[in-house]
mmCIF file of all heavy atoms in Angstrom:
data_model
loop_
_atom_site.group_PDB
_atom_site.id
_atom_site.type_symbol
_atom_site.label_atom_id
_atom_site.label_comp_id
_atom_site.label_asym_id
_atom_site.label_seq_id
_atom_site.Cartn_x
_atom_site.Cartn_y
_atom_site.Cartn_z
ATOM 1 N N GLY A 72 15.683 -108.989 102.459
ATOM 2 C CA GLY A 72 14.614 -109.357 101.542
ATOM 3 C C GLY A 72 13.259 -109.392 102.174
ATOM 4 O O GLY A 72 12.308 -109.787 101.485
ATOM 5 N N PRO A 75 12.015 -105.952 108.412
ATOM 6 C CA PRO A 75 12.422 -106.383 109.741
ATOM 7 C C PRO A 75 11.390 -105.930 110.779
ATOM 8 O O PRO A 75 10.546 -105.075 110.506
ATOM 9 C CB PRO A 75 13.771 -105.674 109.936
ATOM 10 C CG PRO A 75 13.705 -104.478 109.057
ATOM 11 C CD PRO A 75 12.846 -104.872 107.866
ATOM 12 N N GLU A 86 3.459 -93.489 113.784
ATOM 13 C CA GLU A 86 2.023 -93.210 113.699
ATOM 14 C C GLU A 86 1.462 -92.787 115.065
ATOM 15 O O GLU A 86 0.594 -91.918 115.149
ATOM 16 C CB GLU A 86 1.300 -94.455 113.188
ATOM 17 C CG GLU A 86 1.552 -94.732 111.711
ATOM 18 C CD GLU A 86 0.826 -95.963 111.202
ATOM 19 O OE1 GLU A 86 0.266 -96.680 112.086
ATOM 20 O OE2 GLU A 86 0.774 -96.171 109.974
ATOM 21 N N ALA A 133 15.844 -102.186 94.821
ATOM 22 C CA ALA A 133 16.594 -100.923 94.930
ATOM 23 C C ALA A 133 15.877 -99.751 94.309
ATOM 24 O O ALA A 133 15.879 -98.654 94.896
ATOM 25 C CB ALA A 133 17.978 -101.117 94.271
ATOM 26 N N ASN A 144 12.784 -87.625 101.857
ATOM 27 C CA ASN A 144 13.467 -86.324 101.987
ATOM 28 C C ASN A 144 12.471 -85.174 101.869
ATOM 29 O O ASN A 144 12.526 -84.192 102.632
ATOM 30 C CB ASN A 144 14.560 -86.203 100.927
ATOM 31 C CG ASN A 144 15.752 -87.119 101.243
ATOM 32 O OD1 ASN A 144 16.017 -87.435 102.396
ATOM 33 N ND2 ASN A 144 16.476 -87.539 100.213
ATOM 34 N N LEU A 157 4.946 -74.501 114.240
ATOM 35 C CA LEU A 157 4.643 -74.585 115.681
ATOM 36 C C LEU A 157 5.523 -73.640 116.498
ATOM 37 O O LEU A 157 5.049 -72.941 117.400
ATOM 38 C CB LEU A 157 4.818 -76.025 116.164
ATOM 39 C CG LEU A 157 3.742 -77.021 115.686
ATOM 40 C CD1 LEU A 157 4.131 -78.447 116.077
ATOM 41 C CD2 LEU A 157 2.364 -76.676 116.247
ATOM 42 N N LEU A 170 4.550 -57.871 124.574
ATOM 43 C CA LEU A 170 3.999 -56.550 124.247
ATOM 44 C C LEU A 170 2.930 -56.135 125.264
ATOM 45 O O LEU A 170 2.904 -54.981 125.730
ATOM 46 C CB LEU A 170 3.424 -56.557 122.832
ATOM 47 C CG LEU A 170 4.442 -56.660 121.692
ATOM 48 C CD1 LEU A 170 3.723 -56.779 120.353
ATOM 49 C CD2 LEU A 170 5.377 -55.452 121.686
ATOM 50 N N CYS A 204 2.088 -23.325 158.147
ATOM 51 C CA CYS A 204 1.165 -22.322 158.690
ATOM 52 C C CYS A 204 0.860 -22.609 160.161
ATOM 53 O O CYS A 204 0.802 -21.694 160.989
ATOM 54 C CB CYS A 204 -0.128 -22.311 157.877
ATOM 55 S SG CYS A 204 0.074 -21.696 156.178
ATOM 56 N N GLN A 323 -2.741 29.652 193.585
ATOM 57 C CA GLN A 323 -4.161 29.699 193.254
ATOM 58 C C GLN A 323 -5.015 29.374 194.477
ATOM 59 O O GLN A 323 -6.026 30.030 194.733
ATOM 60 C CB GLN A 323 -4.465 28.703 192.127
ATOM 61 C CG GLN A 323 -5.923 28.703 191.685
ATOM 62 C CD GLN A 323 -6.155 27.781 190.502
ATOM 63 O OE1 GLN A 323 -5.231 27.422 189.803
ATOM 64 N NE2 GLN A 323 -7.408 27.413 190.290
ATOM 65 N N GLY A 345 -20.856 14.946 197.329
ATOM 66 C CA GLY A 345 -19.814 14.351 196.512
ATOM 67 C C GLY A 345 -18.856 15.394 195.961
ATOM 68 O O GLY A 345 -18.883 16.581 196.319
ATOM 69 N N PRO A 360 -15.083 16.405 199.195
ATOM 70 C CA PRO A 360 -15.575 16.473 200.581
ATOM 71 C C PRO A 360 -14.794 15.541 201.498
ATOM 72 O O PRO A 360 -14.430 14.424 201.117
ATOM 73 C CB PRO A 360 -17.036 16.041 200.453
ATOM 74 C CG PRO A 360 -17.082 15.205 199.219
ATOM 75 C CD PRO A 360 -16.055 15.786 198.291
ATOM 76 N N SER A 391 -12.452 8.079 198.149
ATOM 77 C CA SER A 391 -11.962 7.218 199.236
ATOM 78 C C SER A 391 -10.963 7.962 200.110
ATOM 79 O O SER A 391 -11.017 7.881 201.349
ATOM 80 C CB SER A 391 -11.319 5.956 198.642
ATOM 81 O OG SER A 391 -12.248 5.210 197.885
ATOM 82 N N PHE A 400 -9.961 13.206 210.705
ATOM 83 C CA PHE A 400 -10.484 14.373 211.413
ATOM 84 C C PHE A 400 -11.404 13.942 212.553
ATOM 85 O O PHE A 400 -11.298 14.438 213.685
ATOM 86 C CB PHE A 400 -11.246 15.279 210.453
ATOM 87 C CG PHE A 400 -10.361 16.160 209.621
ATOM 88 C CD1 PHE A 400 -8.988 16.103 209.745
ATOM 89 C CD2 PHE A 400 -10.899 17.068 208.720
ATOM 90 C CE1 PHE A 400 -8.179 16.916 208.987
ATOM 91 C CE2 PHE A 400 -10.089 17.885 207.947
ATOM 92 C CZ PHE A 400 -8.722 17.801 208.087
ATOM 93 N N SER A 448 -13.819 43.505 269.843
ATOM 94 C CA SER A 448 -14.610 44.746 269.894
ATOM 95 C C SER A 448 -15.270 44.894 271.256
ATOM 96 O O SER A 448 -15.363 46.003 271.835
ATOM 97 C CB SER A 448 -15.655 44.739 268.778
ATOM 98 O OG SER A 448 -15.029 44.687 267.527
ATOM 99 N N ARG A 482 -15.496 23.258 237.923
ATOM 100 C CA ARG A 482 -16.734 22.544 237.564
ATOM 101 C C ARG A 482 -17.259 22.964 236.193
ATOM 102 O O ARG A 482 -18.247 22.412 235.713
ATOM 103 C CB ARG A 482 -17.811 22.832 238.613
ATOM 104 C CG ARG A 482 -17.490 22.196 239.959
ATOM 105 C CD ARG A 482 -18.701 22.256 240.852
ATOM 106 N NE ARG A 482 -18.446 21.583 242.113
ATOM 107 C CZ ARG A 482 -18.157 22.203 243.259
ATOM 108 N NH1 ARG A 482 -18.103 23.531 243.269
ATOM 109 N NH2 ARG A 482 -17.954 21.520 244.360
ATOM 110 N N SER A 553 -10.664 36.318 217.873
ATOM 111 C CA SER A 553 -10.419 36.347 216.430
ATOM 112 C C SER A 553 -9.161 35.553 216.129
ATOM 113 O O SER A 553 -8.380 35.201 217.034
ATOM 114 C CB SER A 553 -10.283 37.790 215.929
ATOM 115 O OG SER A 553 -9.171 38.420 216.553
ATOM 116 N N ASN A 558 -2.800 32.991 214.277
ATOM 117 C CA ASN A 558 -2.690 33.133 215.732
ATOM 118 C C ASN A 558 -4.038 33.519 216.314
ATOM 119 O O ASN A 558 -4.816 34.287 215.708
ATOM 120 C CB ASN A 558 -1.653 34.196 216.109
ATOM 121 C CG ASN A 558 -0.251 33.774 215.705
ATOM 122 O OD1 ASN A 558 0.115 32.602 215.835
ATOM 123 N ND2 ASN A 558 0.537 34.724 215.221
ATOM 124 N N HIS A 579 -4.154 38.900 245.816
ATOM 125 C CA HIS A 579 -4.853 38.817 244.529
ATOM 126 C C HIS A 579 -3.948 38.050 243.563
ATOM 127 O O HIS A 579 -2.831 38.493 243.268
ATOM 128 C CB HIS A 579 -5.171 40.225 243.981
ATOM 129 C CG HIS A 579 -6.212 40.939 244.792
ATOM 130 N ND1 HIS A 579 -7.565 40.844 244.553
ATOM 131 C CD2 HIS A 579 -6.076 41.750 245.887
ATOM 132 C CE1 HIS A 579 -8.230 41.574 245.431
ATOM 133 N NE2 HIS A 579 -7.339 42.149 246.278
ATOM 134 N N ASP A 587 0.014 32.321 233.873
ATOM 135 C CA ASP A 587 0.389 30.903 233.851
ATOM 136 C C ASP A 587 -0.363 30.162 232.746
ATOM 137 O O ASP A 587 0.204 29.306 232.044
ATOM 138 C CB ASP A 587 0.090 30.262 235.215
ATOM 139 C CG ASP A 587 1.057 30.736 236.296
ATOM 140 O OD1 ASP A 587 2.144 31.244 235.910
ATOM 141 O OD2 ASP A 587 0.727 30.595 237.477
ATOM 142 N N ALA A 602 -6.292 53.754 226.061
ATOM 143 C CA ALA A 602 -6.179 55.209 225.879
ATOM 144 C C ALA A 602 -7.512 55.897 226.111
ATOM 145 O O ALA A 602 -7.561 57.025 226.638
ATOM 146 C CB ALA A 602 -5.661 55.509 224.475
ATOM 147 N N PRO A 614 -2.439 28.215 218.040
ATOM 148 C CA PRO A 614 -3.100 26.949 218.428
ATOM 149 C C PRO A 614 -2.246 25.740 218.013
ATOM 150 O O PRO A 614 -1.577 25.755 216.989
ATOM 151 C CB PRO A 614 -4.420 26.988 217.656
ATOM 152 C CG PRO A 614 -4.163 27.887 216.503
ATOM 153 C CD PRO A 614 -3.175 28.926 216.986
#
Side-chain angles (χ1 to χ4, degrees):
E86 288 180 351
N144 288 332
L157 288 172
L170 290 175
C204 292
Q323 181 176 341
S391 299
F400 280 1
S448 298
R482 291 192 177 101
S553 62
N558 294 321
H579 291 271
D587 289 341

